[in-house]
Amino acid sequence: MKIYLCIIIIALSGFLLSSGLLSKGLNSQLSNYTIRQFIVGQYPGSVEVADFNNDGKPDLAIANEKDNNVSILLGNGKGNFTEAKGSPFPCGNFPNDIAIADLNKDGNLDLAFANHEAKYVTVLLGNGHGQFFAAPNSPFHVPVKPHTHGIAIGDFNGDGNLDLVTDSWGTDQLVILYGDGKGNFKVGTFLSVGKHPYQRIRVADLNKDHKPDIVTTNLDGNNCTILLSDGRGHFTQPAGSPFAAGNVPFGVAIGDINADGNLDLAVINSPSVSEKTGTDGLTILLGNGTGEFSIMKGSPFKTGQGPTRVAIGDLNNEGIADIAVTNYNSKNITIFYMSKNGVASTENIPLSGHADGIAIHDLNGDGKNDIVASNSEGNSILVLFRK
């Protein structure tokens, strides 16, 4: 009788979880983390952290790829999240990547999306309360081939207005869309990069001149292109660019991972996801502060199977940024705990489904950075709270 009762309870729990009724109730213990699940839309991919309702507490934006919308989960600063009124919000076909900034200078954060299998990007303007609405002329069409994959934001021409950059995979180019500061964008400069820039574009000041530079992973070039901005809309590649980055570089995160004051690159290698030959793993490129990079000894480092996304942040409070990678095929996260001399140790955290998007932030206000990952198989996000 007890066996049958256990079976019934397990089955009922599975039903409730799949229906979203246990969105606040799934807790399980991991080695260094406590995990909690929140139900979102179908096939969540990109996940980002920001304060969308101006209360000083971290919120979440999750791109639901099959629903063509974005879920906004508002945080209470203690690790609990509730869906914003009106969420999820439509954001165009197959939202594949998210960029966040105040695009219309009203003091509220806005969202920009690269729309996979579509020749446009979508911009949603925030009202400062967690609601988002399409910019008046959104979506913004881009003459790319075949469609957009990644997106990032920066003021590339120095006019004080934020611009967008996306990719044209089929022509080995990036495309800048210049903003007018009111939420409108028009196609501008095309930039040549490596062979088949795919999935991720990221922006940061890589040479300490206070101007936004661009990084892209080149899937079939096995390298990363660095574009250094002059702040007036022109870009040059530093000596050595594009830089070798292992087999089939699929995504990149930017941060100082050896505490030398220079930004570095964490690049995931994903031949198994891309149906290409090579070894899955993590390649770390160390920056010298001028925009030039060299491969860290030991790269590529072993991940799980099918790594898709990567994030950087201090996960053990040792003052040095660590690296976390979602492994889609092996359904886990690999954490690389870093030291000034390289990878100090690794940890593999099993998850209940296919891990995809990932971000690192202190989500419960305890002074420890946590991990949030999207679970595409379970139509949910998993928040891993550091113990």
Side-chain angles (χ1 to χ4, degrees):
M1 181 67 180
K2 292 182 178 179
I3 294 176
Y4 291 128
L5 181 59
C6 288
I7 293 173
I8 292 172
I9 291 174
I10 292 171
L12 180 59
S13 296
F15 167 76
L16 291 174
L17 182 58
S18 66
S19 64
L21 299 179
L22 288 184
S23 62
K24 299 181 181 179
L26 180 66
N27 291 276
S28 46
Q29 299 296 316
L30 300 172
S31 56
N32 291 311
Y33 297 87
T34 299
I35 188 170
R36 196 172 186 190
Q37 178 168 271
F38 296 85
I39 301 300
V40 289
Q42 288 192 68
Y43 211 86
S46 292
V47 55
E48 301 292 344
V49 181
D51 179 11
F52 296 120
N53 59 350
N54 297 321
D55 65 353
K57 299 167 185 175
D59 309 312
L60 304 176
I62 304 98
N64 302 308
E65 295 175 353
K66 288 190 176 180
D67 283 341
N68 300 333
N69 58 29
V70 57
S71 291
I72 302 297
L73 302 186
L74 302 180
N76 67 353
K78 299 179 181 180
N80 193 38
F81 295 88
T82 56
E83 195 157 14
K85 183 179 179 180
S87 174
F89 303 98
C91 61
N93 189 73
F94 203 106
N96 190 63
D97 199 13
I98 306 174
I100 303 172
D102 180 5
L103 298 173
N104 61 348
K105 300 181 180 181
D106 67 349
N108 302 316
L109 290 179
D110 309 309
L111 304 174
F113 300 85
N115 295 106
H116 199 270
E117 298 181 4
K119 295 179 184 291
Y120 60 74
V121 299
T122 297
V123 172
L124 301 185
L125 302 179
N127 66 0
H129 301 288
Q131 286 80 46
F132 291 85
F133 309 90
N137 296 307
S138 180
F140 299 95
H141 291 267
V142 191
V144 297
K145 181 181 180 181
H147 44 249
T148 65
H149 300 94
I151 194 166
I153 295 173
D155 178 6
F156 299 119
N157 58 357
D159 65 353
N161 302 321
L162 291 175
D163 311 308
L164 307 178
V165 57
T166 188
D167 59 279
S168 181
W169 180 86
T171 60
D172 300 335
Q173 292 176 307
L174 303 184
V175 186
I176 293 180
L177 291 81
Y178 290 112
D180 66 356
K182 300 177 182 180
N184 295 308
F185 297 87
K186 64 179 180 180
V187 174
T189 307
F190 283 72
L191 305 168
S192 295
V193 291
K195 188 174 182 181
H196 291 169
Y198 186 66
Q199 285 304 328
R200 304 294 161 240
I201 305 166
R202 294 297 178 254
V203 169
D205 179 9
L206 301 175
N207 59 351
K208 302 181 181 180
D209 65 353
H210 307 292
K211 299 177 178 67
D213 308 311
I214 302 174
V215 180
T216 182
T217 50
N218 303 312
L219 189 79
D220 292 318
N222 293 335
N223 53 34
C224 287
T225 294
I226 306 298
L227 297 174
L228 301 179
S229 171
D230 69 354
R232 298 186 297 273
H234 302 101
F235 294 83
T236 57
Q237 294 190 39
S241 177
F243 297 95
N247 299 134
V248 194
F250 194 80
V252 60
I254 304 173
D256 180 6
I257 55 89
N258 60 352
D260 67 350
N262 300 319
L263 291 178
D264 311 304
L265 308 179
V267 180
I268 46 173
N269 305 115
S270 307
S272 65
V273 170
S274 307
E275 299 181 351
K276 297 179 181 293
T277 59
T279 303
D280 288 349
L282 170 72
T283 295
I284 297 174
L285 300 181
L286 299 178
N288 67 2
T290 70
E292 299 177 2
F293 293 85
S294 59
I295 292 181
M296 175 182 281
K297 184 179 179 180
S299 294
F301 299 95
K302 184 178 180 181
T303 61
Q305 299 173 10
T308 54
R309 316 258 183 153
V310 58
I312 294 176
D314 184 3
L315 290 169
N316 55 6
N317 280 27
E318 292 186 352
I320 297 177
D322 307 304
I323 302 171
V325 176
T326 49
N327 303 302
Y328 187 88
N329 292 340
S330 54
K331 299 183 179 182
N332 63 0
I333 292 174
T334 302
I335 298 176
F336 297 87
Y337 295 105
M338 305 301 297
S339 72
K340 291 183 179 180
N341 299 315
V343 177
S345 63
T346 61
E347 179 180 14
N348 288 300
I349 302 176
L351 299 179
S352 59
H354 292 293
D356 197 359
I358 189 168
I360 296 174
H361 199 281
D362 180 5
L363 297 173
N364 58 359
D366 65 354
K368 302 174 184 178
N369 276 332
D370 311 301
I371 300 172
V372 56
S374 58
N375 174 10
S376 62
E377 186 179 45
N379 296 332
S380 65
I381 58 164
L382 303 172
V383 181
L384 288 72
F385 295 104
R386 182 80 186 187
K387 294 179 182 178

